[in-house]
Amino acid sequence: MKNIIKTSAMALVIGCSLTSCNDFLTIDPIDKPVLETFYKTPEALKSTTMALYSSKAWSNFHMNFQWKMDMINGDMFYTYGDEGQWYFGTYTAVNPYLNEGWKGLYNIILDANSIIHDIVPVCGGTITQADIDQAIGEARAFRGYCHYMLAEVWHDVPVIENNSEMIGSGNLDVPRNTQASVYRFAMEDLDAAVDLLPDDTGDNWRLNKRKARALRAKLAVTMAAHKDYGYDRDALYAKAAADALDVIENTQALTEIPYETLFDVESNNGPESILAIQCGVLGYAFGNAHNVAWSRSSVIADQTWGAGKGPTISLQNMYDRNDKRRMWTYMTNGDYYPMLNRAGGGYNYQYVSRDGSGDVLEDRNEMLAHIKKYIIGKAADCDGNVGINQDAANNIYLMRLADVYLTYVEAKMGTADQTSDASAMKYYNMVRQRAGVSEASSVTFVELLKERRRELAFESQTWFDTQRYRYRTDDATALDLLNSGYGTNYNRAAMYVPDYAKYPTIDSSNENNLDVYKIVDSTADGAQYNKIIITKDAFTAPIPAAVSSTSPALLRDPVDYYGGSEGGTPEAGE
């Protein structure tokens, strides 16, 4: 199947699903069959692990939190309300989207724990050890990767290894664990997943051994980026390089996979996909909401509230003129998309578009551009693959193949500031070849970050990249990168405004001419904001108040999950 268009009933019974229990450690089961009679066939077990991939299970995270990381990193311009706090780097513990992200990631962890501790132990009938190993491998991969993501947003977070046991013991007020011990736990999970998962699961959307190695590579380069945790950084980089290379060599070449369709339904679970949230037109929370949240107007979407969102000027200035990725990442004047607004002959983007009577149909925004990535149009444009409840059927990547290529380059660079290694440059240049831009003979770490930004914009990866740069350098260096717009010298306050000094009259005769606008970044010059300076406080999100109010131990100093000293490196072969 190219796409899972349904979410299986999740047969999860944890020790507590009562309203009196702490929400942080409980989930709401979708269904409650009798365990002993249900888990008798491999199909029954697979129906439960299927739910780990479903949009419904991930909905708190991907609908209400994931893309806020594109705002804090300065890729997506949007300044409204609580969401705008992410653009300004001023989010507080009461920001509702923090709670959605926290709850969304722990939801997956709790689901994974239920598979490992509550469901697998009661399996019988025709379920084999290989079936059980695969189920546990998938669950541990998800649990490990979610702990990794939590550690990059909040840094010190609780490791939740067995919530049923915790609930049974009455131990509900859990402390935070140190980031280093969260990494260790996540690596143990991903090591186990690589050992347990088969080479082929029979379903191209499921994790297998190769894909689990891709996830492990990302964790390994993150751990290796830290200079102060006592890690054997060279061993971690070597581990990441070996994992990434195995994925690359056993997957279709990146240059054979077209970029322009990567975010459409037709590419669901194709060779580019390593791990993706499975979406369908099944109602609210069961599909991809980006098509609604990011679409510019009703001209190209049945539902829309993306008029005020767009690529920052710094992001726009990252792309060469002939970079093929650019128009599939964001739209700007003169771009034509035949797959959008098919009834109207396709969609021709203009800063300002008018109807036949001359009235404004679509007005410009501050960026003179809007997002294209993940936008697939109206239901009539894409064979009904968009619903009316924020539920489009194009999957949401958590990791894809180009990321693995660039992770390999980072791993081969290791602790150095640049590399000209032949194998690293081969795969770095394959990313650039697909984009239609010139090849390079060497690459610095900052250049690699810029390439990752161009490739992965609006996929909520750039924030993780910035964190690794910070670990490798320091707060000040990473902040300079952010506040200078990745070296473009366009602060996130930069926006386009009409240049009335040069053009006293701006109307339908010239409103789509770039020359009539100027870029400003101060209120004195007509911008909405003066330069927005992100501080180091933004690098670590606060614990959501909604969580700490019921688990006050989260506000105390973090402790090592393993009860020992910090640091130490998992061996490369573990």
Side-chain angles (χ1 to χ4, degrees), residues 357-377:
S357 301
D359 296 326
V360 172
L361 189 62
E362 298 173 304
D363 208 350
R364 63 179 177 85
N365 68 0
E366 296 89 344
M367 301 294 107
L368 297 182
H370 286 83
I371 298 169
K372 170 61 178 78
K373 191 172 281 189
Y374 284 120
I375 305 304
I376 61 174

Side-chain angles (χ1 to χ4, degrees), residues 420-493:
S420 57
D421 176 84
S423 60
M425 297 314 300
K426 172 184 176 181
Y427 295 118
Y428 180 75
N429 283 323
M430 286 179 72
V431 174
R432 292 178 63 81
Q433 287 166 18
R434 180 169 71 169
V437 295
S438 61
E439 298 182 19
S441 58
S442 64
V443 60
T444 67
F445 192 82
V446 171
E447 288 168 344
L448 177 61
L449 291 184
K450 292 178 179 180
E451 192 63 41
R452 289 183 60 86
R453 191 185 189 203
R454 286 185 284 266
E455 178 71 27
L456 300 166
F458 307 132
E459 298 177 53
S460 304
Q461 292 295 330
T462 316
W463 177 247
F464 296 96
D465 299 344
T466 304
Q467 291 283 32
R468 292 199 307 284
Y469 185 53
R470 172 182 167 234
Y471 303 150
R472 288 173 64 102
T473 56
D474 52 44
D475 286 343
T477 305
L479 287 169
D480 180 66
L481 188 72
L482 281 181
N483 290 322
S484 68
Y486 265 66
T488 64
N489 292 321
Y490 288 111
N491 179 267
R492 65 183 62 206

Side-chain angles (χ1 to χ4, degrees), residues 11-13 32-40 118-119 122-123:
L12 298 175
V13 175
K32 297 182 180 180
V34 178
L35 295 180
E36 289 78 4
T37 60
F38 185 77
Y39 290 104
K40 297 296 185 182
D118 303 323
I119 290 172
V122 302
C123 286

Side-chain angles (χ1 to χ4, degrees), residues 352 354 364 497-513 515-518:
V352 182
R354 295 176 181 268
R364 63 179 177 85
V497 298
D499 189 350
Y500 290 116
K502 290 173 61 178
Y503 296 88
T505 300
I506 299 177
D507 55 24
S508 60
S509 67
N510 61 3
E511 63 196 3
N512 287 309
N513 182 346
D515 290 342
V516 308
Y517 304 100
K518 63 180 180 179

Side-chain angles (χ1 to χ4, degrees), residues 276-291:
I277 298 170
Q278 303 294 306
C279 298
V281 182
L282 291 162
Y284 182 80
F286 286 91
N288 186 342
H290 295 344
N291 192 68

